[in-house]
Amino acid sequence: FKVWYRPPASPNVRNLWGKMKGPLTPGKYRVMFTTNSPIFTDQWGIKEKRVVLTGKHSLGSKGACKVLGGIALALGFMECLAAGVFLVITIKQWGQRNNVQRVAEWTPPVDKE
């Protein structure tokens, strides 16, 4: 018996209902559902059920790896953009400080008459 405490974040939900030891031999397989709860068809409007056979992976599914890779690339791009902005601001401030120091060191020429 499985209990869900909250609704899923995704419209596609995958639940682990069983495990098999060892690889499957090549061939055709048929999955038969002996009972179908009316909750799926009447209340939730699900017309068909699907079985997804997946392999175990240390980083999760292929889709999860793509999403995490995309997020990492987006964050890296934003960090590079922020570093560029800060670099430009720092260079401008450094240039303004040097101009102020040059003006302060400047003395008007003395006329020798």
Side-chain angles (χ1 to χ4, degrees), residues 24-50:
L24 288 174
T25 57
K28 292 185 178 185
Y29 294 91
R30 179 178 286 191
V31 177
M32 304 282 290
F33 294 102
T34 55
T35 58
N36 190 16
S37 174
I39 291 174
F40 288 100
T41 55
D42 297 340
Q43 291 182 2
W44 294 345
I46 297 174
K47 297 177 183 173
E48 64 181 16
K49 292 181 181 179
R50 295 182 185 154

mmCIF file of all heavy atoms in Angstrom, residues 24-50:
data_model
loop_
_atom_site.group_PDB
_atom_site.id
_atom_site.type_symbol
_atom_site.label_atom_id
_atom_site.label_comp_id
_atom_site.label_asym_id
_atom_site.label_seq_id
_atom_site.Cartn_x
_atom_site.Cartn_y
_atom_site.Cartn_z
ATOM 1 N N LEU A 24 16.897 -8.378 -18.178
ATOM 2 C CA LEU A 24 15.830 -9.038 -18.929
ATOM 3 C C LEU A 24 16.417 -9.646 -20.200
ATOM 4 O O LEU A 24 17.282 -9.062 -20.828
ATOM 5 C CB LEU A 24 14.751 -8.026 -19.324
ATOM 6 C CG LEU A 24 13.858 -7.499 -18.221
ATOM 7 C CD1 LEU A 24 12.956 -6.400 -18.777
ATOM 8 C CD2 LEU A 24 13.013 -8.608 -17.646
ATOM 9 N N THR A 25 15.925 -10.771 -20.563
ATOM 10 C CA THR A 25 16.369 -11.369 -21.819
ATOM 11 C C THR A 25 15.622 -10.695 -22.971
ATOM 12 O O THR A 25 14.473 -10.276 -22.808
ATOM 13 C CB THR A 25 16.093 -12.879 -21.828
ATOM 14 O OG1 THR A 25 14.699 -13.087 -21.612
ATOM 15 C CG2 THR A 25 16.879 -13.588 -20.744
ATOM 16 N N PRO A 26 16.249 -10.555 -24.113
ATOM 17 C CA PRO A 26 15.569 -9.915 -25.246
ATOM 18 C C PRO A 26 14.325 -10.695 -25.660
ATOM 19 O O PRO A 26 14.312 -11.914 -25.649
ATOM 20 C CB PRO A 26 16.611 -9.931 -26.362
ATOM 21 C CG PRO A 26 17.916 -10.165 -25.684
ATOM 22 C CD PRO A 26 17.616 -10.907 -24.425
ATOM 23 N N GLY A 27 13.291 -9.958 -25.984
ATOM 24 C CA GLY A 27 12.051 -10.599 -26.401
ATOM 25 C C GLY A 27 10.876 -9.666 -26.186
ATOM 26 O O GLY A 27 11.039 -8.511 -25.815
ATOM 27 N N LYS A 28 9.684 -10.183 -26.402
ATOM 28 C CA LYS A 28 8.465 -9.404 -26.217
ATOM 29 C C LYS A 28 7.834 -9.792 -24.888
ATOM 30 O O LYS A 28 7.780 -10.971 -24.530
ATOM 31 C CB LYS A 28 7.476 -9.662 -27.353
ATOM 32 C CG LYS A 28 7.958 -9.129 -28.673
ATOM 33 C CD LYS A 28 6.895 -9.306 -29.719
ATOM 34 C CE LYS A 28 7.384 -8.718 -31.036
ATOM 35 N NZ LYS A 28 6.346 -8.756 -32.063
ATOM 36 N N TYR A 29 7.349 -8.774 -24.198
ATOM 37 C CA TYR A 29 6.719 -8.994 -22.902
ATOM 38 C C TYR A 29 5.338 -8.347 -22.926
ATOM 39 O O TYR A 29 5.114 -7.345 -23.602
ATOM 40 C CB TYR A 29 7.555 -8.378 -21.774
ATOM 41 C CG TYR A 29 8.902 -9.053 -21.600
ATOM 42 C CD1 TYR A 29 10.025 -8.589 -22.275
ATOM 43 C CD2 TYR A 29 9.034 -10.145 -20.765
ATOM 44 C CE1 TYR A 29 11.243 -9.200 -22.120
ATOM 45 C CE2 TYR A 29 10.254 -10.763 -20.599
ATOM 46 C CZ TYR A 29 11.362 -10.284 -21.274
ATOM 47 O OH TYR A 29 12.570 -10.890 -21.118
ATOM 48 N N ARG A 30 4.426 -8.905 -22.161
ATOM 49 C CA ARG A 30 3.079 -8.350 -22.051
ATOM 50 C C ARG A 30 2.784 -8.165 -20.563
ATOM 51 O O ARG A 30 2.976 -9.083 -19.764
ATOM 52 C CB ARG A 30 2.063 -9.274 -22.676
ATOM 53 C CG ARG A 30 0.649 -8.728 -22.543
ATOM 54 C CD ARG A 30 -0.325 -9.624 -23.198
ATOM 55 N NE ARG A 30 -0.150 -9.424 -24.639
ATOM 56 C CZ ARG A 30 -0.979 -9.887 -25.539
ATOM 57 N NH1 ARG A 30 -2.015 -10.605 -25.172
ATOM 58 N NH2 ARG A 30 -0.782 -9.669 -26.814
ATOM 59 N N VAL A 31 2.286 -6.984 -20.215
ATOM 60 C CA VAL A 31 1.901 -6.691 -18.842
ATOM 61 C C VAL A 31 0.381 -6.640 -18.803
ATOM 62 O O VAL A 31 -0.240 -5.912 -19.583
ATOM 63 C CB VAL A 31 2.497 -5.339 -18.372
ATOM 64 C CG1 VAL A 31 2.042 -5.017 -16.972
ATOM 65 C CG2 VAL A 31 4.001 -5.372 -18.446
ATOM 66 N N MET A 32 -0.197 -7.372 -17.904
ATOM 67 C CA MET A 32 -1.653 -7.420 -17.775
ATOM 68 C C MET A 32 -2.054 -6.807 -16.430
ATOM 69 O O MET A 32 -1.545 -7.214 -15.385
ATOM 70 C CB MET A 32 -2.136 -8.869 -17.840
ATOM 71 C CG MET A 32 -1.717 -9.618 -19.084
ATOM 72 S SD MET A 32 -2.677 -9.211 -20.515
ATOM 73 C CE MET A 32 -4.220 -9.931 -20.106
ATOM 74 N N PHE A 33 -2.953 -5.837 -16.479
ATOM 75 C CA PHE A 33 -3.527 -5.275 -15.268
ATOM 76 C C PHE A 33 -4.824 -6.026 -14.992
ATOM 77 O O PHE A 33 -5.772 -5.959 -15.779
ATOM 78 C CB PHE A 33 -3.824 -3.780 -15.431
ATOM 79 C CG PHE A 33 -2.598 -2.949 -15.593
ATOM 80 C CD1 PHE A 33 -2.223 -2.481 -16.834
ATOM 81 C CD2 PHE A 33 -1.803 -2.644 -14.502
ATOM 82 C CE1 PHE A 33 -1.089 -1.711 -16.985
ATOM 83 C CE2 PHE A 33 -0.665 -1.878 -14.639
ATOM 84 C CZ PHE A 33 -0.309 -1.407 -15.888
ATOM 85 N N THR A 34 -4.863 -6.725 -13.890
ATOM 86 C CA THR A 34 -6.052 -7.539 -13.604
ATOM 87 C C THR A 34 -7.206 -6.679 -13.103
ATOM 88 O O THR A 34 -8.361 -6.991 -13.360
ATOM 89 C CB THR A 34 -5.724 -8.621 -12.569
ATOM 90 O OG1 THR A 34 -5.178 -7.999 -11.397
ATOM 91 C CG2 THR A 34 -4.711 -9.595 -13.135
ATOM 92 N N THR A 35 -6.907 -5.620 -12.406
ATOM 93 C CA THR A 35 -7.964 -4.724 -11.941
ATOM 94 C C THR A 35 -7.545 -3.293 -12.247
ATOM 95 O O THR A 35 -6.369 -2.948 -12.181
ATOM 96 C CB THR A 35 -8.215 -4.861 -10.423
ATOM 97 O OG1 THR A 35 -7.013 -4.592 -9.721
ATOM 98 C CG2 THR A 35 -8.729 -6.226 -10.069
ATOM 99 N N ASN A 36 -8.526 -2.477 -12.561
ATOM 100 C CA ASN A 36 -8.275 -1.061 -12.822
ATOM 101 C C ASN A 36 -9.247 -0.268 -11.969
ATOM 102 O O ASN A 36 -10.462 -0.375 -12.122
ATOM 103 C CB ASN A 36 -8.475 -0.749 -14.307
ATOM 104 C CG ASN A 36 -7.987 0.644 -14.642
ATOM 105 O OD1 ASN A 36 -7.265 1.250 -13.869
ATOM 106 N ND2 ASN A 36 -8.370 1.142 -15.795
ATOM 107 N N SER A 37 -8.710 0.496 -11.066
ATOM 108 C CA SER A 37 -9.545 1.276 -10.159
ATOM 109 C C SER A 37 -10.294 2.361 -10.930
ATOM 110 O O SER A 37 -9.724 3.019 -11.807
ATOM 111 C CB SER A 37 -8.666 1.912 -9.084
ATOM 112 O OG SER A 37 -9.434 2.788 -8.286
ATOM 113 N N PRO A 38 -11.574 2.571 -10.642
ATOM 114 C CA PRO A 38 -12.323 3.628 -11.319
ATOM 115 C C PRO A 38 -11.812 5.027 -10.978
ATOM 116 O O PRO A 38 -12.151 5.985 -11.655
ATOM 117 C CB PRO A 38 -13.765 3.423 -10.843
ATOM 118 C CG PRO A 38 -13.698 2.548 -9.653
ATOM 119 C CD PRO A 38 -12.412 1.789 -9.743
ATOM 120 N N ILE A 39 -10.993 5.140 -9.965
ATOM 121 C CA ILE A 39 -10.421 6.450 -9.625
ATOM 122 C C ILE A 39 -9.578 6.966 -10.792
ATOM 123 O O ILE A 39 -9.618 8.151 -11.123
ATOM 124 C CB ILE A 39 -9.573 6.355 -8.344
ATOM 125 C CG1 ILE A 39 -10.481 6.106 -7.143
ATOM 126 C CG2 ILE A 39 -8.757 7.619 -8.136
ATOM 127 C CD1 ILE A 39 -9.744 5.866 -5.861
ATOM 128 N N PHE A 40 -8.812 6.072 -11.441
ATOM 129 C CA PHE A 40 -7.960 6.480 -12.551
ATOM 130 C C PHE A 40 -8.783 7.004 -13.724
ATOM 131 O O PHE A 40 -8.483 8.044 -14.293
ATOM 132 C CB PHE A 40 -7.089 5.311 -13.027
ATOM 133 C CG PHE A 40 -5.986 4.955 -12.079
ATOM 134 C CD1 PHE A 40 -6.123 3.882 -11.204
ATOM 135 C CD2 PHE A 40 -4.821 5.677 -12.055
ATOM 136 C CE1 PHE A 40 -5.110 3.560 -10.326
ATOM 137 C CE2 PHE A 40 -3.800 5.350 -11.179
ATOM 138 C CZ PHE A 40 -3.951 4.287 -10.305
ATOM 139 N N THR A 41 -9.833 6.277 -14.100
ATOM 140 C CA THR A 41 -10.599 6.648 -15.293
ATOM 141 C C THR A 41 -11.686 7.671 -15.012
ATOM 142 O O THR A 41 -11.850 8.633 -15.752
ATOM 143 C CB THR A 41 -11.226 5.394 -15.923
ATOM 144 O OG1 THR A 41 -11.997 4.722 -14.932
ATOM 145 C CG2 THR A 41 -10.158 4.480 -16.464
ATOM 146 N N ASP A 42 -12.432 7.495 -13.945
ATOM 147 C CA ASP A 42 -13.575 8.371 -13.673
ATOM 148 C C ASP A 42 -13.163 9.692 -13.031
ATOM 149 O O ASP A 42 -13.512 10.772 -13.504
ATOM 150 C CB ASP A 42 -14.587 7.663 -12.767
ATOM 151 C CG ASP A 42 -15.177 6.428 -13.433
ATOM 152 O OD1 ASP A 42 -15.103 6.330 -14.674
ATOM 153 O OD2 ASP A 42 -15.693 5.562 -12.702
ATOM 154 N N GLN A 43 -12.413 9.625 -11.945
ATOM 155 C CA GLN A 43 -12.085 10.847 -11.212
ATOM 156 C C GLN A 43 -10.896 11.599 -11.813
ATOM 157 O O GLN A 43 -10.908 12.815 -11.888
ATOM 158 C CB GLN A 43 -11.806 10.523 -9.744
ATOM 159 C CG GLN A 43 -13.045 10.086 -8.995
ATOM 160 C CD GLN A 43 -12.758 9.809 -7.540
ATOM 161 O OE1 GLN A 43 -11.637 9.979 -7.067
ATOM 162 N NE2 GLN A 43 -13.778 9.367 -6.809
ATOM 163 N N TRP A 44 -9.853 10.877 -12.208
ATOM 164 C CA TRP A 44 -8.636 11.537 -12.685
ATOM 165 C C TRP A 44 -8.608 11.694 -14.194
ATOM 166 O O TRP A 44 -7.782 12.431 -14.720
ATOM 167 C CB TRP A 44 -7.399 10.780 -12.221
ATOM 168 C CG TRP A 44 -7.192 10.794 -10.740
ATOM 169 C CD1 TRP A 44 -7.798 11.612 -9.832
ATOM 170 C CD2 TRP A 44 -6.341 9.946 -9.986
ATOM 171 N NE1 TRP A 44 -7.376 11.330 -8.571
ATOM 172 C CE2 TRP A 44 -6.465 10.308 -8.624
ATOM 173 C CE3 TRP A 44 -5.490 8.923 -10.319
ATOM 174 C CZ2 TRP A 44 -5.769 9.686 -7.607
ATOM 175 C CZ3 TRP A 44 -4.785 8.301 -9.311
ATOM 176 C CH2 TRP A 44 -4.924 8.684 -7.968
ATOM 177 N N GLY A 45 -9.447 11.012 -14.912
ATOM 178 C CA GLY A 45 -9.510 11.136 -16.369
ATOM 179 C C GLY A 45 -8.331 10.521 -17.105
ATOM 180 O O GLY A 45 -8.001 10.927 -18.213
ATOM 181 N N ILE A 46 -7.689 9.528 -16.511
ATOM 182 C CA ILE A 46 -6.557 8.866 -17.157
ATOM 183 C C ILE A 46 -7.094 7.762 -18.047
ATOM 184 O O ILE A 46 -7.753 6.840 -17.583
ATOM 185 C CB ILE A 46 -5.573 8.309 -16.109
ATOM 186 C CG1 ILE A 46 -5.000 9.464 -15.300
ATOM 187 C CG2 ILE A 46 -4.471 7.511 -16.773
ATOM 188 C CD1 ILE A 46 -4.141 9.031 -14.150
ATOM 189 N N LYS A 47 -6.824 7.849 -19.336
ATOM 190 C CA LYS A 47 -7.362 6.887 -20.292
ATOM 191 C C LYS A 47 -6.524 5.626 -20.385
ATOM 192 O O LYS A 47 -7.018 4.562 -20.700
ATOM 193 C CB LYS A 47 -7.476 7.533 -21.670
ATOM 194 C CG LYS A 47 -8.438 8.679 -21.684
ATOM 195 C CD LYS A 47 -8.483 9.348 -23.030
ATOM 196 C CE LYS A 47 -9.415 10.548 -22.973
ATOM 197 N NZ LYS A 47 -9.391 11.329 -24.182
ATOM 198 N N GLU A 48 -5.216 5.739 -20.154
ATOM 199 C CA GLU A 48 -4.351 4.569 -20.279
ATOM 200 C C GLU A 48 -3.254 4.616 -19.237
ATOM 201 O O GLU A 48 -2.880 5.673 -18.738
ATOM 202 C CB GLU A 48 -3.731 4.498 -21.676
ATOM 203 C CG GLU A 48 -2.813 5.639 -21.989
ATOM 204 C CD GLU A 48 -2.229 5.557 -23.385
ATOM 205 O OE1 GLU A 48 -2.756 4.802 -24.222
ATOM 206 O OE2 GLU A 48 -1.241 6.252 -23.626
ATOM 207 N N LYS A 49 -2.760 3.466 -18.906
ATOM 208 C CA LYS A 49 -1.624 3.339 -17.994
ATOM 209 C C LYS A 49 -0.428 2.862 -18.795
ATOM 210 O O LYS A 49 -0.574 2.166 -19.792
ATOM 211 C CB LYS A 49 -1.917 2.329 -16.889
ATOM 212 C CG LYS A 49 -2.971 2.770 -15.918
ATOM 213 C CD LYS A 49 -3.148 1.699 -14.869
ATOM 214 C CE LYS A 49 -4.210 2.072 -13.878
ATOM 215 N NZ LYS A 49 -4.408 1.028 -12.872
ATOM 216 N N ARG A 50 0.752 3.244 -18.359
ATOM 217 C CA ARG A 50 1.977 2.822 -19.035
ATOM 218 C C ARG A 50 2.953 2.259 -18.025
ATOM 219 O O ARG A 50 3.006 2.702 -16.880
ATOM 220 C CB ARG A 50 2.629 4.011 -19.743
ATOM 221 C CG ARG A 50 1.796 4.552 -20.862
ATOM 222 C CD ARG A 50 2.505 5.679 -21.538
ATOM 223 N NE ARG A 50 1.630 6.258 -22.540
ATOM 224 C CZ ARG A 50 1.714 7.493 -22.942
ATOM 225 N NH1 ARG A 50 2.623 8.287 -22.442
ATOM 226 N NH2 ARG A 50 0.901 7.949 -23.851
#
